[in-house]
Structure formats: C-alpha cells, structure tokens
Amino acid sequence: MPAEQNREFSNLLLLCIEHSYEIDENPGPFPAEVLREWKAAQIAEYEQIQRSWNISDDEASEALVASESIAMLHISSVVEVVRRIEAFGLTARRTRGQVRDWAKRWQQLRERTRRSFSAWDEDGNSVYVEPPINEVRPIKDGIQSALETALHEIQPVAEAVRVELAAVRTTRVETGPCCDELDRVITDVIRTASKWDGGPDHGADATFEGALNRLNETRGMFVHVVRGESIELPEPSESVSDANAPDALDMHRALLDEARPYHRVQHRPYDADLRERVAQATQVAAQIPPTPHLLAYGLNVTAALAVAVAGNATSEVQIDLVESDAKRTPICAAVALLEETARRHDKASVVGSAAAEQLRRVWVDTDWAKECSWIGNEVNGQAMMYAFARATSDKEVRDRLTSALEANPGLLETTVISCAGWVDQLDSGTWEVVDRDRSYRSVPLWFPIEVAGELVPSRHPELSSFDAAELPEKLLRCTQEHSELPGTPKQ
C-alpha cells in the first residue's frame, strides 16, 4: 500500500516493541483479521471507559526519553538489515538452481551412457564407461557460466546488507559482535556460491546449504541481540567443507554396489562382514518406498544381495544366519531376508526349509494387536503381508488382522497406512518423478475390509457412505490428513 495509507490511523495497532517484532517475524498465527479484532477491542475498551489508560508523569517522561533516544533510532536500520539478509539468501538460492540444473544434465548424460554399455569383469564387478569429453565439456562450461552469473547477482545484494550493518553498528554498539559474525557468514555464502564441487551429482551441495543455514541462524541471533536478550555467539572458525559427506541413501547405494557382484557370479567366497553389513542395511531399506524408481535400492533387493553374499557359506553357517535374520527389526526386514533365503534355496533343502519355517514362526509369534508390532513396517507393510500370505494363505492373514483390529480398534489407521501400496507421481512433460504417494489401486485379498467397514462409523463418521471396494482408499486419504504416520517419505 502507499506510504500515506500505511501510516493512517486505520492501519495502526498499538503494541509493545517485543510483540510487534514477534508478529512481524511469525505472521502465520497473526493474520490481519486477528489484528483487526485486537484493534477493535482496544477502541471498544477506550469508548467504554471514555478515557485513556492512566500513566504517571514519571512514566510519561520515561516514555518520551526512550522514544527520543538513539536506541530507538536504530530500529529502521535493524528492520532493513533483516530484510536485506532475507533478500540475500533468496537471491543466492535462486541463482544456485541454475548451477544444479547443469549438474543434473551431467548426471542424466552419465546415466544414459552407462545404460548403453552394461558389463562386468570376471569377478562380477561392474565396468562403466564415462560420457565422451566433447559432450561433458559444454556442461562444465555451463556450470562455470552459471557460477559467474550467480556471483554477479549476489555480490551487490551482499554489499547492501553490509551497508545496513554498518549503520546498526553506529547506533547500537552491543550488536557489534553479531554484526561481525553476520559479515563472516555472508563471506562464506559468497565463497560457496562461487564454487561447485559436486560433479554430476546435482544434490551434492551440502556446503552451500550449510552456509545458508548459518546465515539464517545468525540473523536470528541478531534479532535476539537487538531485543536485548543474552545469547552466546559461536566462536569464529575456519569454514569446514562437508561437500563430500555422503548422505544415508548414498551410503546405502554404495554398500549394495559392493555386494552386487555376488549376485552376478557364483564363485565368490563367503564374506561374513559384508553379509552382516548388507543384512543390517535392510533396516535402512525398510524405509525406502517400493516404487519402480527405487526398486534397485529397496528392501527386496537389499535382502536378495545379503542372501547372495552368503551363497557359498556352509549349510551350518547359513542356518545360523537364518536364525539371526528371524530376530531382525523391523519385522518387514526379517521377513524379506527369510523369504529370499527360502526362495533361493530348494524348499526341500535344509536351509530352505529352515528359512520357510522361521518365516511362519515370525508370523505366528507376532501379536498384531500390539502397536509395537507395526513400528518400522509402515513403508513396506504391504510387501510384508503379501509374504506372510504366500507362506500361509490370504484367508489366514485376513483372519488374524481382523482379530487384531477387533481387539484393538485404535490400530485401524496404522493398518490402513502400513498396508497401502506406493505410486510414483510423474511430471507430465518430463516424466520425471516429482513425488510419491500411498494408494490402494487394488485391495489385497488378505486386507481385513469387513472389520474396517464396521469400525468406520465410530472412528470416521465423515465417511458416511462408501463402497466396500473404495473403502481402503478413502480411509487412507482420511487417515493421512490426520495422522503422523509416515505416509509419503521423500527419498
């Protein structure tokens, strides 16, 4: 709105400095309608008592002195610093997107090249080829050009922040150390924004993100100092690059690549350490949705590679591994390992029979009416129940889940989410995955649909009418809106 309108009485609400800052920094809980209600209440109170709020002459003098003091004169500069810091961070993030886009093209080029040549050596290790240099060079040039453009855009914004910091230093001496820290963090953001060490991995940008996070944290400290609050500033230190720090999924992929040769050839000797590491990784894989784009790293593949690594172990060792696998958590991880062992070996063999028996025992010994039995199985619960149905029958699984819900109706939402399938949501133009979601495209034969329908009126009265075939999907949508269970984890 125009400055004149902004300064009109109709747009004025009387607040103390501390709470005015709180509202400006957290506008969500304080919409315009709420502020108008507060103003109306202030005016109504005045009109009711027909006089202003009483203050003494001393209080009036104190207010006048404070309002004319240099401590009040700095407020406009403080607000401008916060605004310019926000603009600086937004500009840095926006320009970084261009760099990441080039890196993504590099990654796509590498993936296309690798798919065009699939081979491995005599020990089953993958052999890859890299894209030709004449195709990579334009991408590297694009990254460098994007970095230069980013630097050209963010430097003037950074200078504007520093000008306002200088103004605040002159009006509020106590902010000096925080202003110095902000200056250091701004330098760090500029330094990281001018470099790209991630190669073709468009997600390898931890150093840049860390610098932006420190910028936001220091801005928050600055506001606290301005308010007169006591804070402890971090000690000045050299920036530590963590661009090469792998995330959990990258480490998981690397571990599976280490084990893949055992799945390709039959002569590799049993590696006990690798087998245990891959088996433990089923706990990580249990949280990876089984969608087409993630199957190569998901729970079933992880379990299959763990079993393959032990392919040349003795029968005695493999039976010991079966007993250990049956105790793994979450339950879906144990089930994946046991079912894969039974599948890989002849069911009439000692190892295959032991694995099949342990799988049935896990099913029988688990009390599905207890909430703890479902912990960790929310993402791959459907695959787990299908495995149990193959080991027993659809009817047995349906009957036991029905009994569990009758004993504990509060598990309805957990069961609905855990037993749902997964779908990729694709961009209609590029066909790239933009998100993932749960779905009941078809209702499993083992799903306890009858008891779920009986529980709906009391637990979800908003679902007043429903078709039995559509009930699981409707329950899923309703549950996701009100539940904290992992419905759509991002990977």
Side-chain angles (χ1 to χ4, degrees):
M1 60 178 64
E4 296 78 11
Q5 186 179 355
N6 182 273
R7 302 293 294 173
E8 286 180 356
F9 171 75
S10 61
N11 198 45
L12 170 68
L13 175 64
L14 299 179
L15 294 168
C16 66
I17 291 294
E18 179 180 356
H19 289 145
S20 69
Y21 279 152
E22 181 178 352
I23 291 173
D24 287 342
E25 293 170 11
N26 302 281
F30 307 103
E33 292 75 14
V34 171
L35 302 184
R36 292 191 184 101
E37 290 175 3
W38 291 358
K39 177 172 181 173
Q42 287 182 348
I43 295 174
E45 182 178 355
Y46 169 77
E47 291 177 345
Q48 180 181 2
I49 62 179
Q50 289 297 306
R51 59 185 171 84
S52 301
W53 296 274
N54 291 330
I55 62 172
S56 66
D57 290 343
D58 289 341
E59 289 171 330
S61 297
E62 181 183 353
L64 286 171
V65 171
S67 66
E68 296 175 356
S69 69
I70 196 169
M72 295 296 294
L73 296 177
H74 81 287
I75 288 181
S76 61
S77 291
V78 168
V79 173
E80 192 63 25
V81 166
V82 174
R83 287 174 176 162
R84 291 189 181 275
I85 290 174
E86 179 68 13
F88 174 63
L90 291 174
T91 303
R93 186 175 294 282
R94 173 176 56 78
T95 57
R96 197 63 167 181
Q98 301 170 12
V99 181
R100 290 169 175 169
D101 285 344
W102 279 107
K104 189 173 184 178
R105 295 184 195 180
W106 190 354
Q107 186 181 61
Q108 291 170 343
L109 173 62
R110 170 181 275 188
E111 290 175 354
R112 286 197 304 270
T113 305
R114 288 189 170 186
R115 286 197 299 267
S116 67
F117 182 84
S118 178
W120 48 82
D121 61 21
E122 61 183 11
D123 289 325
N125 298 304
S126 295
V127 177
Y128 297 114
V129 294
E130 290 295 326
I133 191 171
N134 63 314
E135 294 186 40
V136 174
R137 185 180 293 111
I139 294 177
K140 290 184 176 181
D141 291 343
I143 290 176
Q144 185 59 40
S145 176
L147 290 172
E148 293 171 359
T149 300
L151 195 59
H152 179 75
E153 289 193 40
I154 67 175
Q155 279 183 327
V157 188
E159 291 174 3
V161 179
R162 285 171 167 148
V163 169
E164 296 300 330
L165 285 175
V168 172
R169 280 192 183 95
T170 63
T171 59
R172 198 71 177 264
V173 177
E174 62 268 31
T175 65
C178 199
C179 290
D180 292 340
E181 180 64 19
L182 274 168
D183 192 86
R184 282 191 291 270
V185 174
I186 289 169
T187 299
D188 200 31
V189 172
I190 294 174
R191 179 185 61 80
T192 58
S194 64
K195 294 182 178 180
W196 178 260
D197 300 320
D201 185 358
H202 62 282
D205 215 5
T207 304
F208 174 78
E209 291 294 338
L212 282 186
N213 290 338
R214 287 191 295 275
L215 179 70
N216 290 331
E217 291 169 1
T218 311
R219 180 188 61 185
M221 294 178 183
F222 173 77
V223 172
H224 288 303
V225 170
V226 168
R227 291 176 177 173
E229 301 173 12
S230 178
I231 65 168
E232 184 176 347
L233 290 171
E235 291 291 330
S237 60
E238 293 291 332
S239 298
V240 178
S241 174
D242 55 355
N244 295 322
D247 63 19
L249 190 56
D250 285 339
M251 295 174 64
H252 181 69
R253 288 168 172 160
L255 176 61
L256 297 192
D257 286 342
E258 186 179 350
R260 289 189 196 280
Y262 287 84
H263 205 270
R264 298 168 180 154
V265 296
Q266 304 295 322
H267 64 270
R268 295 181 73 102
Y270 168 52
D271 185 331
D273 175 70
L274 179 60
R275 203 283 180 180
E276 178 59 23
R277 285 188 289 130
V278 179
Q280 288 181 357
T282 56
Q283 188 171 14
V284 175
Q287 302 308 310
I288 299 177
T291 63
H293 288 77
L294 294 173
L295 287 180
Y297 313 104
L299 180 57
N300 287 340
V301 168
T302 304
L305 290 175
V307 174
V309 171
N312 286 323
T314 64
S315 297
E316 291 77 10
V317 168
Q318 294 193 48
I319 290 175
D320 289 341
L321 292 174
V322 165
E323 294 177 355
S324 298
D325 290 341
K327 300 174 184 177
R328 295 188 186 276
T329 56
I331 296 175
C332 62
V335 169
L337 287 165
L338 293 172
E339 186 178 44
E340 176 60 23
T341 302
R343 186 197 66 78
R344 187 179 179 91
H345 295 269
D346 188 337
K347 290 185 178 180
S349 69
V350 176
V351 177
S353 176
E357 177 58 30
Q358 286 289 356
L359 179 59
R360 285 189 289 270
R361 185 171 298 174
V362 170
W363 166 248
V364 172
D365 292 346
T366 302
D367 186 351
W368 297 103
K370 292 184 177 180
E371 293 184 7
C372 60
S373 299
W374 294 89
I375 294 176
N377 299 307
E378 300 91 348
V379 176
N380 279 273
Q382 187 181 88
M384 175 181 69
M385 288 300 166
Y386 269 119
F388 285 138
R390 286 189 290 269
T392 57
S393 68
D394 289 323
K395 181 179 183 303
E396 182 171 338
V397 173
R398 184 172 60 251
D399 289 347
R400 284 204 62 193
L401 292 181
T402 297
S403 298
L405 289 178
E406 289 173 345
N408 186 359
L411 280 175
L412 176 62
E413 291 75 19
T414 299
T415 304
V416 167
I417 286 185
S418 300
C419 293
W422 286 90
V423 291
D424 280 329
Q425 295 181 349
L426 307 178
D427 184 280
S428 59
T430 64
W431 293 99
E432 291 184 358
V433 177
V434 295
D435 203 354
R436 297 177 179 87
D437 197 9
R438 310 302 295 263
S439 176
Y440 280 96
R441 287 186 170 178
S442 60
V443 182
L445 294 177
W446 46 259
F447 186 82
I449 194 167
E450 291 184 4
V451 68
E454 295 171 359
L455 295 175
V456 163
S458 60
R459 298 191 63 81
H460 294 281
E462 65 273 25
L463 299 179
S464 56
S465 61
F466 54 84
D467 181 84
E470 298 176 350
L471 176 60
E473 184 72 16
K474 290 187 174 182
L475 265 176
L476 175 66
R477 298 302 162 209
C478 185
T479 301
Q480 285 179 320
E481 292 177 3
H482 303 93
S483 174
E484 296 183 356
L485 285 172
T488 56
K490 307 299 187 295
Q491 296 291 341

